[in-house]
Amino acid sequence: MASSIEQEVDHEFQPFLTVYKDGKVVRHLFTDEVPASVDTQTGVASKDVLINPSLPARLYLPKALNHQNKLPLVIYFHGGCFVSGSAFSASYHQFVNSLVAEANVVAVSVDYRLAPEDPVPIAFDDSWEAIQWVISHSKGEGTESWLNDHVDFNRVFLSGDSVGSTIAHNMAMKTGQLCDDFKLLGIALIHPFFWVKKGLGCPEKNVISEKTWLYACPSSTLGNDDPRINPFAVGAPSLSGLGCDRVLVCITEDDVLKDRGLLYYEALGKSGWGGQREIKETRGKDHVFHLFDPCEESLELTKWIASFLNQ
């Protein structure tokens, strides 16, 4: 029988996780991991790699391959408020698989480490290391043949949903600052998680999001005005330094974070950033609906992103 301290809850962040007084962490979302495979419906092949002993990733290769015509690459970051989610969960595996099939691209889905065991900024550090690992293949001399043989490194994109979009934005800013010999072509942000110290919209959802960020990043002295989560904060780096040429922002009508995605799109246009931007809105749907509801709107979202990657 479990002791009383084992059963006592220390932190409760529904729907993401429960943390008990004895230190046990129980995650509730995206825990149904599935193996890499060759998908019987799309023909997309996937396999798992280790970027380093603590950083796995899943690679995806579409069925239609031509060694003379290399393909765009998408580096994908899952959501989960920095405390849950996995590149290997059924929801993310199915979504990235469907995107690879629809867009005919190669993908690397990054399984960065999670808080509270590995607090932010570890998720950002892992994501940056994954990008550097991918770039190491740009001359055809990397350790992974799928990247050496099939990727056009002039057409590399970052994408993610929710905090995966937050990571993609931060990585694009860092690429613009630090990578003189490599440039991303674009980023596709799906229902981006950007925040402010003063919450928005639905109070219940605000409480969950605000507290989870503070819990995931206890070292932050700025709370929800930290530029990593709030690119509009005073003192945040100018969006004019975004290190890519194109941006797609996808929002949903019923998402409490919708206004932040819209503000990001508008702020890009006013920042002096010289790239091309577009925004797409799904009506009547909430945050990351496509991971849980295989509806017509989910297929439409996938097609939007595929079109963006192939422009």
Side-chain angles (χ1 to χ4, degrees):
M1 182 175 178
S3 68
S4 58
I5 192 170
E6 287 176 327
Q7 296 175 329
E8 189 175 354
V9 173
D10 187 28
H11 296 283
E12 186 83 42
F13 295 124
Q14 295 294 347
F16 300 107
L17 81 169
T18 302
V19 183
Y20 293 89
K21 290 284 189 180
D22 67 349
K24 181 181 180 181
V25 178
V26 178
R27 291 182 168 86
H28 310 301
L29 279 180
F30 309 119
T31 59
D32 53 339
E33 296 188 357
V34 295
S37 62
V38 176
D39 186 70
T40 56
Q41 292 187 331
T42 64
V44 171
S46 57
K47 68 176 177 179
D48 297 336
V49 299
L50 280 177
I51 295 172
N52 70 41
S54 301
L55 181 56
R58 179 160 291 178
L59 274 59
Y60 294 81
L61 199 64
K63 182 178 181 179
L65 292 173
N66 182 331
H67 286 269
Q68 303 304 314
N69 297 312
K70 294 191 174 183
L71 303 174
L73 172 72
V74 178
I75 305 174
Y76 195 86
F77 307 104
H78 66 77
C81 229
F82 297 107
V83 298
S84 67
S86 169
F88 310 130
S89 70
S91 296
Y92 280 106
H93 177 75
Q94 291 165 6
F95 174 67
V96 177
N97 186 89
S98 65
L99 179 60
V100 167
E102 181 67 33
N104 198 41
V105 297
V106 181
V108 176
S109 186
V110 182
D111 199 50
Y112 57 85
R113 286 172 287 178
L114 303 174
E117 300 93 332
D118 296 291
V120 174
I122 289 176
F124 292 105
D125 295 341
D126 283 353
S127 299
W128 183 246
E129 183 168 351
I131 292 171
Q132 297 306 298
W133 177 78
V134 167
I135 293 173
S136 73
H137 294 78
S138 61
K139 300 185 186 304
E141 299 172 352
T143 57
E144 179 45 59
S145 62
W146 284 12
L147 302 182
N148 290 332
D149 296 343
H150 300 294
V151 170
D152 178 353
F153 282 92
N154 292 313
R155 293 187 289 167
V156 176
F157 296 84
L158 305 182
S159 186
D161 61 277
S162 194
V163 299
S165 286
T166 311
I167 292 173
H169 159 75
N170 279 273
M171 296 300 102
M173 292 294 293
K174 193 168 183 177
T175 300
Q177 296 165 358
L178 299 180
C179 292
D180 294 331
D181 57 347
F182 177 82
K183 188 171 184 179
L184 296 166
L185 182 51
I187 58 175
L189 308 183
I190 307 169
H191 315 157
F193 186 110
F194 297 131
W195 211 250
V196 289
K197 189 172 291 184
K198 183 179 180 181
L200 312 164
C202 174
E204 294 80 7
K205 291 183 179 180
N206 286 339
V207 168
I208 293 170
S209 299
E210 289 174 0
K211 286 187 175 181
T212 306
W213 164 250
L214 298 175
Y215 182 69
C217 188
S219 63
S220 175
T221 59
L222 299 174
N224 288 293
D225 270 346
D226 189 307
R228 288 171 292 185
I229 201 74
N230 180 7
F232 323 109
V234 176
S238 171
L239 294 178
S240 64
L242 193 69
C244 62
D245 294 328
R246 295 169 43 214
V247 172
L248 171 66
V249 181
C250 298
I251 58 176
T252 61
E253 183 179 21
D254 298 334
D255 188 355
V256 68
L257 296 166
K258 169 188 171 180
D259 290 344
R260 308 313 283 171
L262 180 60
L263 178 58
Y264 183 86
Y265 170 80
E266 293 173 343
L268 268 180
K270 298 175 182 177
S271 69
W273 175 72
Q276 299 177 344
R277 62 197 169 100
E278 58 183 298
I279 191 166
K280 296 283 191 179
E281 180 176 0
T282 303
R283 299 287 184 179
K285 295 294 182 180
D286 209 333
H287 194 65
V288 297
F289 72 93
H290 60 290
L291 296 175
F292 308 102
D293 183 9
C295 56
E296 290 185 10
E297 290 85 355
S298 298
L299 179 58
E300 181 181 50
L301 175 65
T302 303
K303 289 182 178 294
W304 286 343
I305 301 168
S307 176
F308 173 77
L309 300 176
N310 285 298
Q311 288 175 13

